[in-house]
């Protein structure tokens, strides 16, 4: 994973699968290449192979089950997503919560397979507990702002600063901020407050001009990094 | 769906994905073509496209969520599996239970999309209630026999006959029997007792010679059908 | 269970427990005695004994787990609620959904213990499937109207009439209507449309004068019954 | 909470409710009084009031939901158990797992109400993450040993020592060990390894002479404490 972390969660919009899902991946890849920035797409399990075969950007699953190989009908295991071409996965998104023991099971298997992991939490108090399980990153997202268009950067900056304080208690885990991120300014602020990047979904997936929005995001991120002296 | 219904649930064995998963699909296709019988493979979501592009047999998902398009991170919707190339899906497997309202949501969306559905139940008492929701088929499987190698046909034939009685209360829904089916004789008995076919998993997926086992299955099914005058 | 069925779901309001919860039970009992009508209160598990010891009206649990005696920490089993003094329980409320197999397990145990059961569903399509599992009654409640103050009687009468058509397919199961029931008129209409009674929660539990509201409910029910020639 | 912590989880055995459940509480109280030791009983929600009214030992719930007052049919909230007479609750038992966000919600409400909390985990890796949420104690129990009669003290002492190392990273949280604890020796060893006490269930609840077993437990605990210089 590279800072700035910019993660586009496809969710299950009409732009998330089939031809449109592939076109979106092409758009994201274009911005990534033009700006020499890594941008992650977290796609539906059914799309991983198709996207991973078509673009060079990192592809994530949106969820992974911690169970081992065996009689687990319907499970999406770390082995399955790796085989499909994913480089990692979201975990514990507010729309797909998992229990703590399942999370630990999943993270252990993912590490063994060399998969990256972004564990979502809905409050800063869970940042350090989750970080202790050693995911690649923790993504903090106040659920009431998800999809709202009102960004965590503006509406609840203290969530980001508190989360940054928390993540520092554990070494080697990135902090990503999310929820309502819709502009380059939102990204800039989130990173100035100390996060290593942002997660977004509807702002990109439902945009008329996703390329333009994403470019703004990256520029906001780069500006913040430069001011922080990190790039 | 055609009788005899023979459904191979890939689950998540080491033979269920990657190269070995594709090879298994080839083997199943071979038996299907040689015997002019339809054999369904229910594969992991990440494998649907790859299997569907390679073989001509019907490919199912192992689970589907009833939610519509939208902000549903990690959901596997009917639209997603159809787009990936699936013809239908298992639902409510004992390893992936869903609630009744979720089931009805999923089945309604699946019908609208022209997808087939096989709803699993763990007891004959649930056959008629589930059949009222109009899936393509109901698969009855006593969970204690799943993966046991002791077939429902032999150990609990009354489950099949009771389920057959129940399914007749609702028109137009197939009955499939499962759990511990390992031999052609098991298939033959299950169908002689009135079922429209069988579901199996470990007996095929973990077999040294899956082709041989599957061929026996089909022959058992054909023999039963001929005796019933159905083929 | 006696028609009219009037069920007050305590839920977990500030009036649902402690002194206020007991006072509410007294009020309900008073109306029941004055009108010679049975009124059921579904109270929190922790309140069952205290309410049952104090009033003569039937006391229900709000939920029950289908598991047998044994190592089931935190489970509220049929045996436990019976021992506490309950006469029955709600099951599968939209705020506490259970799976179909768990429901069947619970209902079987409840019947064995002589406990009554009211299974909630959120749509008329689930009325017959649930009725086949032989609860005492099915309670149909469109969840979007629950607690809204807009009654199913007025806003979606077709849910009640469709549910009445469905319940007739199975013998010996009552149909109760709920969601947004706030006036005697709502109760009257719900029963004129064919239901055997109503369920309510916030309209009573959050009322300034619960006794008055409840009395209206009972009068609405009695008027409908008289017109139907049922009382 | 006082060290040694001895917690008897009633679960839902035939000795857990009704007359026998009350008798068990009397037995536990007797041992507690005779040995001047605090012994906690975690009883079914339906039993809290009856047990709390009858004995002077601390009574816990077995589970609590983190939701606030409101429309939460079937929920057992912190307010409800406090009102019923409980002093605290188990949380996240392996037979009743909760999600991390639900746990944090529950613990915050419990603290506000002055309720104690014992959060269960199935592995030492979760001890520190859970402790960061500030429960009164963390109870570590390898689930494969629960109810086995093979104690964690003997079979997996490294789970206890690792858990002790973990709990030390967070101030002010007790560590309790559980699973298979059946003898005074098991208790002694668990506490010599550094735990602040033990949790047990079947060893007491299914014992022919629960008083004798419990007395052994307490003596084992006292012996360990004396050797540690802690009493």
């Amino acid at each position: 994973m590279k800072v700035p972390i910019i993660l586009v969660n496809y969710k299950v919009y009409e732009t998330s699968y089939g031809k449109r899902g592939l076109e979106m991946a092409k758009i994201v890849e274009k911005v990534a290449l033009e700006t020499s920035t890594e941008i992650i797409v977290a796609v539906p399990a059914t799309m991983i192979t198709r996207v991973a075969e078509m673009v060079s950007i990192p592809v994530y699953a949106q969820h992974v089950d911690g169970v081992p190989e065996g009689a687990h009908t319907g499970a999406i295991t770390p082995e399955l997503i790796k085989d499909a071409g994913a480089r990692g996965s979201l975990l514990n998104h507010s729309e797909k919560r998992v229990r703590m023991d399942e999370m630990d099971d999943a993270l252990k298997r993912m590490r063994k397979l060399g998969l990256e992991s972004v564990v979502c939490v809905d409050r800063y108090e869970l940042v350090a507990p989750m970080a202790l399980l050693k995911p690649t990153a923790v993504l903090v997202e106040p659920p009431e702002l998800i999809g709202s268009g009102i960004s965590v950067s503006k509406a609840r900056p203290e969530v980001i600063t508190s989360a940054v304080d928390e993540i520092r208690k554990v070494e080697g885990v990135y902090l990503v901020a999310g929820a309502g991120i819709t502009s380059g300014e939102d990204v800039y602020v989130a990173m100035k407050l100390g996060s290593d990047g942002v997660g977004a979904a509807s702002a990109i997936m439902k945009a008329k001009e996703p390329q333009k929005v994403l470019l703004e995001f990256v520029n906001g991120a780069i500006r913040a990094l430069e001011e922080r002296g990190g790039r």
Side-chain angles (χ1 to χ4, degrees), chain A:
Chain A
M1 239 175 187
K2 284 179 203 159
V3 175
I5 297 163
I6 296 176
L7 190 151
V8 179
N9 180 359
Y10 264 49
K11 299 196 176 183
V12 196
Y13 298 113
E14 53 178 357
T15 49
S16 305
Y17 62 93
K19 213 184 205 178
R20 297 184 68 180
L22 294 173
E23 278 164 13
M24 184 63 80
K26 281 274 186 204
I27 290 170
V28 177
E29 184 189 39
K30 205 176 160 212
V31 176
L33 292 174
E34 280 175 10
T35 59
S36 301
T37 305
E38 193 176 279
I39 305 176
I40 300 165
V41 286
V43 307
T46 54
M47 291 291 292
I48 296 172
T49 297
R50 282 178 283 169
V51 174
E53 280 176 354
M54 204 189 59
V55 293
S56 56
I57 52 175
V59 178
Y60 271 37
Q62 293 176 9
H63 167 75
V64 83
D65 295 296
V67 294
E69 282 176 357
H72 301 291
T73 302
I76 308 290
T77 63
E79 284 80 1
L80 287 180
I81 65 161
K82 185 176 181 183
D83 163 65
R87 194 203 280 183
S89 184
L90 290 180
L91 255 171
N92 197 43
H93 190 277
S94 69
E95 294 152 15
K96 192 83 178 177
R97 289 270 181 250
V98 298
R99 295 181 338 222
M100 199 70 172
D101 54 315
E102 296 170 330
M103 186 117 54
D104 188 49
D105 286 341
L107 288 171
K108 281 174 179 161
R109 300 185 73 76
M110 291 174 83
R111 273 196 299 273
K112 209 174 274 180
L113 294 167
L115 289 168
E116 296 173 0
S117 51
V118 175
V119 170
C120 306
V121 296
D122 65 348
R123 64 195 76 183
Y124 79 86
E125 294 95 327
L126 296 182
V127 169
M130 291 302 179
L132 286 177
L133 301 183
K134 297 288 174 197
T136 315
V138 173
L139 167 49
V140 66
E141 288 194 304
E144 73 278 14
L145 298 178
I146 293 179
S148 70
I150 301 163
S151 74
V152 65
S153 309
K154 282 175 200 156
R156 300 194 58 199
E158 78 285 1
V159 171
I160 302 180
T161 49
S162 301
V164 168
D165 288 347
E166 292 296 312
I167 204 79
R168 286 193 183 135
K169 297 177 183 168
V170 184
E171 238 176 287
V173 182
Y174 291 112
L175 181 81
V176 184
I181 302 282
T182 44
S183 70
E185 183 67 14
D186 291 338
V187 177
Y188 170 77
V189 172
M191 293 191 64
K192 282 291 279 184
L193 292 171
S195 76
D196 297 306
V198 297
S202 57
I204 307 291
M205 302 307 293
K206 296 169 107 173
K208 282 194 186 160
E209 301 176 272
Q211 182 171 346
K212 201 178 141 195
V213 179
L214 202 50
L215 194 58
E216 271 181 43
F217 276 29
V218 176
N219 288 334
I222 290 174
R223 182 155 64 97
L225 274 192
E226 283 169 351
E227 293 183 17
R228 280 162 54 181
R231 181 146 169 164

